[in-house]
Amino acid sequence: MLITHDTRCALDAVVDLVNTAPEDETADGLADVPSLADFVRRNDISDVGVLSEHDLAAVRSVRSRFAGVFAAEDPRVAASLINELVAAAGTTPRLTDHDGYDWHVHYFAPGASVADHLAADCGMALAFFVVAGEQERLRRCEAPDCRRAFVDLSRNRSRRYCDSRTCGNRLHVAAYRARRKEAAG
C-alpha cells in the first residue's frame, strides 16, 4: 500500500489525536486551548487560525468519533463513521504545495476550522485503509495496561504494540522473568 507524505502526516495526527483521550485515570491530552495549540504545532497542522474553546470542544468530538473508527471491527462500521466525519467537514479536495512540501491533496475547505481540517484530512487517510481492505492495520496496543492507538505499517501486519521499545519490551521482559522464576521453581 502506497502511503504518501501527506497521508502519513494525517495518520500520525489522527493517532496522536486519539491518544490524547484520557484512559482510566490519565489526564486529557486536550485539557485546554493551550494543549490544543501544542497538538496543532506538534502535528504541523497548517491554516488553523486562532484557536478557541469552541475549537477545543469540536476537536474533542472529532476525537471520539475517530476512536470509534479504531474500535470498529467491521469495515462497514468504520466506513460509516469515516463518511460521517468527512461529510460533516464539507470536504473540498485541492492540490497544494506549501512549507517546502511537493504537491499534495488537502481535503478541507480553505478557512476550515481545525476540527473540520482533522475530520477531512485524517478521515480520508483512514478511508484509504478501508478501501484497500487494510482496516485491521488500525489497531490498539495489546499491552494489558496500554490501549494507545497506532497504525500497523509493518510489511506482514504483525505489529502488536504501540511502541516496541516500551510496551513490547516491557511485556517481553516480564514474560522472560516469569519463565525464569518458574524454571527456578
Side-chain angles (χ1 to χ4, degrees), residues 40-62:
V40 165
R41 273 191 298 281
R42 186 171 61 242
N43 288 284
D44 204 19
I45 299 171
S46 60
D47 280 341
V48 295
V50 176
L51 299 170
S52 67
E53 289 291 331
H54 175 75
D55 290 314
L56 179 62
V59 169
R60 284 179 179 160
S61 175
V62 166

Side-chain angles (χ1 to χ4, degrees), residues 151-181:
V151 178
D152 179 2
L153 297 177
S154 67
R155 196 177 294 246
N156 62 356
R157 298 177 196 87
S158 62
R159 188 172 159 195
R160 298 174 47 208
Y161 307 109
C162 63
D163 185 353
S164 61
R165 290 181 307 252
T166 56
C167 289
N169 191 44
R170 188 175 65 248
L171 286 176
H172 290 123
V173 168
Y176 171 76
R177 288 181 179 156
R179 286 191 307 270
R180 297 280 298 184
K181 184 177 180 181

Side-chain angles (χ1 to χ4, degrees), residues 63-147:
R63 173 181 70 184
S64 68
R65 290 185 278 164
F66 277 129
V69 174
F70 278 84
E73 294 184 20
D74 182 353
R76 291 189 186 283
V77 172
S80 177
L81 290 167
I82 293 168
N83 284 339
E84 289 171 14
L85 280 159
V86 171
T91 57
T92 307
R94 62 184 162 77
L95 287 168
T96 183
D97 64 338
H98 61 88
D99 299 329
Y101 297 113
D102 281 335
W103 290 103
H104 59 281
V105 179
H106 280 185
Y107 294 96
F108 59 93
S113 70
V114 65
D116 285 346
H117 179 138
L118 291 167
D121 272 2
C122 297
M124 290 304 300
L126 296 178
F128 296 140
F129 280 82
V130 174
V131 168
E134 300 282 349
Q135 182 208 342
E136 74 274 3
R137 290 181 180 268
L138 309 177
R139 298 191 175 162
R140 292 287 189 158
C141 185
E142 291 183 18
D145 59 341
C146 180
R147 294 299 299 149

